[in-house]
Amino acid sequence: MKHFAHSLVLGALTTCAALPALAVDVAPGDYAILPSGTTVGLLYLQHSRATELNFGGVDVPASEVTANVAVLRGLHYTQIGNEPVLFQMVLPMGGFETAQIGGAAQPTSEGLGDLTFGASYWPVKPSNPETGTTVGVTAFLTAPSGSYEFGEVSLGGGTWVFTPQVALIQGLGNGVYLDAIADVALSMDHTESGVEVSRDPASQVQVAFRKQFGQTKSLSVGYSGQFGGDINYDGVYSGLKTRRDQVRVYANSFLSPTVQVQGMLAKDLNVEDGFKNDVVAEIRFLKLF
């Protein structure tokens, strides 16, 4: 029973939240094309709290996960054959204030999370960003480099993950934009403590309406839906998956021509077979070089 509880927490944390998904979460406007030679440094500080766990359609009482995570992200825009491309790296780190199921505290592995590499290309570029269409595609590869122990609440996922992503920015005029992103995470099977761990493809859809107030400020309201991602142990469904409906609000402002601050608040409206976030609060600092 103890091993089962630990496996439950591992799967629930993997689906719950925020931690493995940070590399593919996209803020409104992130797919805008910046000039070649631009380098961007970002620091994310995120706090999340979940006090409801749904397992097999049943709510598990006295279950809670509270996490504090920092993410370092670096981006560099360049050109290949006169076409804009972007290379990036993402590294999360942090720990857990609380991790319990049914009132029982769970062991944790804290520290560094998995390192993710990404490369982006834009097959469709707008002639007029105000009303034009931008389409970008990115290939993310996440390495199992972070803190991870099977049966513990971990920042790392313990396996390689390949995530192709496609994004659309559609200018609607009058400073209003539609941002839409879709991706699918493909995880490699791995064996831990004699147990084969596999995860079905997990897809995510993100949509936001963004209002630009000049060149320095914006406000956005969005939705994120996650689907699939069934976790199996030795080929048997664990009762945990990625199924989540979340609403988000973003606001950002440039404090100077090269420094931006962005805040985000999110809340899960619906979760099946996983932890439900009461709140996800994030502040992002961006520096252009």
Side-chain angles (χ1 to χ4, degrees):
M1 183 62 69
K2 182 178 180 181
H3 181 270
F4 174 79
H6 287 177
S7 298
L8 172 64
V9 136
L10 175 66
L13 262 271
T14 301
T15 59
C16 98
L19 304 181
L22 278 172
V24 296
D25 271 358
V26 177
D30 276 4
Y31 264 89
I33 306 171
L34 297 187
S36 177
T38 301
T39 298
V40 184
L42 300 108
L43 170 64
Y44 300 77
L45 301 174
Q46 186 182 93
H47 171 82
S48 63
R49 182 171 182 262
T51 57
E52 296 181 38
L53 171 61
N54 179 271
F55 176 68
V58 177
D59 291 333
V60 180
S63 299
E64 179 180 347
V65 173
T66 302
N68 293 305
V69 179
V71 179
L72 296 175
R73 185 176 186 180
L75 304 90
H76 181 70
Y77 293 80
T78 186
Q79 287 187 336
I80 297 179
N82 294 323
E83 291 292 327
V85 294
L86 164 66
F87 297 103
Q88 61 178 297
M89 292 191 301
V90 184
L91 180 64
M93 62 193 75
F96 304 91
E97 291 182 15
T98 307
Q100 64 180 30
I101 289 181
Q106 304 298 316
T108 62
S109 294
E110 303 180 345
L112 295 178
D114 292 338
L115 180 63
T116 295
F117 302 91
S120 302
Y121 165 69
W122 287 265
V124 178
K125 297 168 281 294
S127 56
N128 177 11
E130 286 286 330
T131 56
T133 301
T134 302
V135 176
V137 293
T138 300
F140 291 103
L141 181 63
T142 300
S145 58
S147 302
Y148 174 79
E149 290 291 337
F150 183 63
E152 296 187 1
V153 182
S154 304
L155 290 179
T159 190
W160 292 88
V161 182
F162 173 64
T163 307
Q165 183 178 81
V166 60
L168 165 75
I169 299 177
Q170 179 61 55
L172 303 176
N174 297 316
V176 179
Y177 297 84
L178 169 67
D179 294 86
I181 303 95
D183 59 57
V184 57
L186 306 172
S187 301
M188 182 178 293
D189 296 351
H190 55 111
T191 300
E192 305 290 345
S193 302
V195 178
E196 184 182 52
V197 182
S198 63
R199 184 170 184 172
D200 292 349
S203 58
Q204 183 177 18
V205 176
Q206 303 169 73
V207 180
F209 284 96
R210 170 168 48 103
K211 171 63 177 177
Q212 287 287 153
F213 300 95
Q215 298 296 316
T216 61
K217 297 180 175 62
S218 73
L219 179 66
S220 307
V221 177
Y223 162 82
S224 170
Q226 294 175 296
F227 310 88
D230 294 18
I231 299 171
N232 301 282
Y233 299 122
D234 286 335
V236 178
Y237 177 49
S238 66
L240 295 161
K241 60 186 177 184
T242 300
R243 179 62 190 99
R244 176 184 316 279
D245 298 299
Q246 185 180 86
V247 293
R248 301 171 174 178
V249 177
Y250 297 84
N252 62 49
S253 177
F254 274 93
L255 305 181
S256 74
T258 62
V259 176
Q260 183 198 64
V261 176
Q262 175 175 277
M264 187 271 288
L265 287 174
K267 179 179 177 60
D268 290 345
L269 300 180
N270 171 64
V271 171
E272 299 175 13
D273 291 348
F275 273 102
K276 183 178 181 181
N277 287 308
D278 303 324
V279 63
V280 180
E282 177 184 277
I283 186 167
R284 185 187 79 174
F285 300 94
L286 177 150
K287 171 65 176 176
L288 297 173
F289 298 92

